[in-house]
Amino acid sequence: MALIVQKFGGSSVADAKRIQNVASIIAETYRAGNDVVVVVSAQGDTTDDLIAKAYEINKRPAAREMDQLLTAGEQISISLLAMAVEGFGLPVISLLGWQAGFHTNSVYGAARIKNIKTNRLRAEISKHNIVIVAGFQGINRYDDLTTLGRGGSDTSAVAIAAQLHADKCQIFTDVEGVYTADPRKVKNALKLSEITYDEMLELATLGAQVLNNRSVEMAKKYSVKLEVLSSLTKSSGTIVKEKINMEKMLIRGVTKDTDVALISVVGLDDNPGVAFKIFSVLAQKNINVDIILQSVGRDGTKDLTFTVSKDNGVVAIETLGNLSVLENTKITCTTGVAKVSIVGAGMESHPGTASTMFEALYAQNINIKMISTSEIKISVIIDAEEADRAVAAVHNAFLPND
Ligand code: ASP
Ligand code: MG
């Protein structure tokens, strides 16, 4: 008998029919003789809708109250799904994050799991109950509810799989697996049968929406083998694991991320310590900086450009505006940009990868504003309006439709 963790995203439980469909997948797994722990997200756009409701009432809602609100989304989906499973005549119980033992730190809206006290989970499993757990949530040491950040229920599922040493962690979504590009936008995108944790981590971080990046990080750390598959079709999905048999593919994916704000500081004194002062105040505000570009100094001044996520743009500008070393500089923030990236472990040993990418962009007359590279990825910042065209062109350059 195996222990299987199954996670279903918001689109998989969007309405009554989809919930029945998910219940039938769970029932089939259970009837095959497995123990089943299920993690679910809020239905459809529930979380977005709740956020919109909050901002209608208060432009700066307290983070604690936001978590108090958002955890309600998953409470709805677990209870409804449990009712559907019950309809199949199977023993089932739904648990909120805290009931399933999820203890987190106190960073509301972006809490980290500290530990999972698994006694309740184990007790229910030993009674052969199907356990349905609310993803994305936990409780802190003040007994207040917390959430793990958008897309956090993937992480909840992987954490349970790691903690209970599950035999399998299946992530069900509305696409059939991990693709070389968004299959809704790029017609000749290919489904990958396997991908490494490292490649998946880059893809998830760079904008592929199929898995949350923290869940991949955790899967790698605890060697949880993931399977990404569709709840709507029966086809096999993508396995995410440490090592794979490299197919002859230089590039494993092309991604787009539009959650980018570009901040420029023009006319900085060309002195030591300036970059330190800028990035240390941003770090104090918990602002994550991505690509950084500094111009060569001339006439005693230099310019610095960097990217942050869109929701950090305003705070970053405010913070830098108060910095005395920046008194005589011009600080601007642009949001009409996107990051397009290619990922693949093969590029490390393959010269010419960057030039192939840049040539594809040039052929489309797309201007590159910034470039950043690591061993297994190349990212460019371009105009947001050109991003879809860029993804298609770059994808076609590496994975031609033949
Ligand atoms: N419902 C939450 C969100 O939309 C968590 C999740 O979907 O994983 O971000
Ligand atoms: Mg969701």
Side-chain angles (χ1 to χ4, degrees):
M1 180 185 268
L3 171 61
I4 300 182
V5 174
Q6 299 187 315
K7 184 259 168 178
F8 297 91
S11 56
S12 296
V13 292
D15 53 34
K17 211 170 131 219
R18 293 265 173 106
I19 289 182
Q20 295 291 2
N21 168 57
V22 165
S24 75
I25 296 174
I26 297 168
E28 196 181 316
T29 313
Y30 183 84
R31 285 182 179 141
N34 301 297
D35 285 322
V36 188
V37 177
V38 176
V39 174
V40 255
S41 308
Q43 291 184 279
D45 296 328
T46 303
T47 308
D48 289 327
D49 295 345
L50 290 173
I51 292 172
K53 267 190 205 271
Y55 285 114
E56 231 177 87
I57 284 168
N58 186 332
K59 290 271 170 292
R60 283 176 179 245
R64 178 193 178 277
E65 299 309 327
M66 206 62 180
D67 279 3
Q68 195 78 332
L69 176 70
L70 296 189
T71 47
E74 272 71 12
Q75 179 157 6
I76 295 171
S77 51
I78 55 166
S79 45
L80 292 176
L81 181 57
M83 292 171 197
V85 172
E86 198 192 328
F88 281 79
L90 298 175
V92 59
I93 184 165
S94 70
L95 299 176
L96 291 166
W98 68 268
Q99 294 172 310
F102 273 83
H103 290 262
T104 72
N105 68 11
S106 292
V107 184
Y108 296 106
R112 292 259 172 183
I113 300 168
K114 292 212 297 205
N115 57 64
I116 306 177
K117 299 215 166 77
T118 54
N119 16 355
R120 178 75 186 269
L121 278 172
R122 288 183 199 277
E124 299 298 346
I125 294 167
S126 66
K127 286 187 265 178
H128 296 297
N129 280 330
I130 293 169
V131 192
I132 299 184
V133 180
F136 173 61
Q137 55 174 261
I139 197 167
N140 65 17
R141 62 190 171 120
Y142 309 110
D143 285 348
D144 279 337
L145 300 175
T146 53
T147 66
L148 307 179
R150 296 306 306 272
S153 42
D154 289 344
T155 310
S156 309
V158 175
I160 290 182
Q163 200 55 235
L164 297 178
H165 302 288
D167 298 281
K168 230 196 224 181
C169 183
Q170 297 182 307
I171 309 280
F172 288 88
T173 168
D174 55 358
V175 289
E176 285 179 10
V178 181
Y179 281 74
T180 52
D182 185 342
R184 288 164 290 206
K185 296 246 168 76
V186 178
K187 274 191 269 25
N188 51 334
L190 303 168
K191 186 170 80 184
L192 300 167
S193 55
E194 296 181 324
I195 187 166
T196 66
Y197 292 125
D198 290 332
E199 289 172 321
M200 191 61 236
L201 190 56
E202 287 285 9
L203 286 179
T205 308
L206 294 169
Q209 265 152 22
V210 56
L211 275 177
N212 173 278
N213 59 351
R214 264 166 68 187
S215 72
V216 183
E217 219 170 66
M218 186 178 291
K220 178 178 163 72
K221 186 166 168 197
Y222 296 101
S223 301
V224 175
K225 209 206 261 181
L226 299 177
E227 186 180 355
V228 180
L229 68 177
S230 167
S231 62
L232 307 171
T233 67
K234 288 258 179 212
S235 34
S236 63
T238 303
I239 305 283
V240 190
K241 56 185 190 179
E242 184 63 38
K243 281 211 164 63
I244 63 168
N245 281 329
M246 279 288 179
E247 295 159 51
K248 281 199 223 79
M249 268 168 94
L250 177 57
I251 290 305
R252 309 284 287 164
V254 186
T255 61
K256 165 184 100 165
D257 183 1
T258 51
D259 184 15
V260 182
L262 190 101
I263 298 188
S264 289
V265 188
V266 176
L268 278 162
D269 288 340
D270 191 10
N271 289 329
V274 173
F276 162 67
K277 284 172 192 155
I278 291 178
F279 294 114
S280 65
V281 289
L282 295 175
Q284 279 159 23
K285 294 267 172 183
N286 260 323
I287 294 174
N288 217 349
V289 174
D290 185 25
I291 304 177
I292 302 174
L293 192 81
Q294 186 184 277
S295 70
V296 177
R298 72 191 117 67
D299 306 330
T301 69
K302 61 189 173 192
D303 307 335
L304 198 68
T305 309
F306 58 90
T307 60
V308 297
S309 68
K310 270 189 181 138
D311 61 348
N312 277 329
V314 177
V315 191
I317 291 274
E318 265 174 28
T319 310
L320 296 182
N322 295 330
L323 207 63
S324 59
V325 281
L326 302 188
E327 250 168 20
N328 299 316
T329 63
K330 190 166 157 249
I331 308 171
T332 56
C333 177
T334 318
T335 51
V337 292
K339 179 164 68 173
V340 170
S341 311
I342 55 175
V343 172
M347 69 171 71
E348 212 175 346
S349 53
H350 202 102
T353 312
S355 85
T356 303
M357 180 183 194
F358 301 155
E359 184 184 11
L361 295 172
Y362 172 46
Q364 293 288 320
N365 203 21
I366 293 172
N367 190 33
I368 302 172
K369 295 176 192 295
M370 291 171 103
I371 301 170
S372 128
T373 66
S374 80
E375 279 109 359
I376 67 166
K377 71 132 210 244
I378 300 171
S379 297
V380 296
I381 300 289
I382 59 173
D383 272 340
E385 284 148 31
E386 298 178 324
D388 285 334
R389 202 154 49 86
V391 169
V394 171
H395 189 272
N396 206 46
F398 288 100
L399 301 160
N401 198 2
D402 54 18

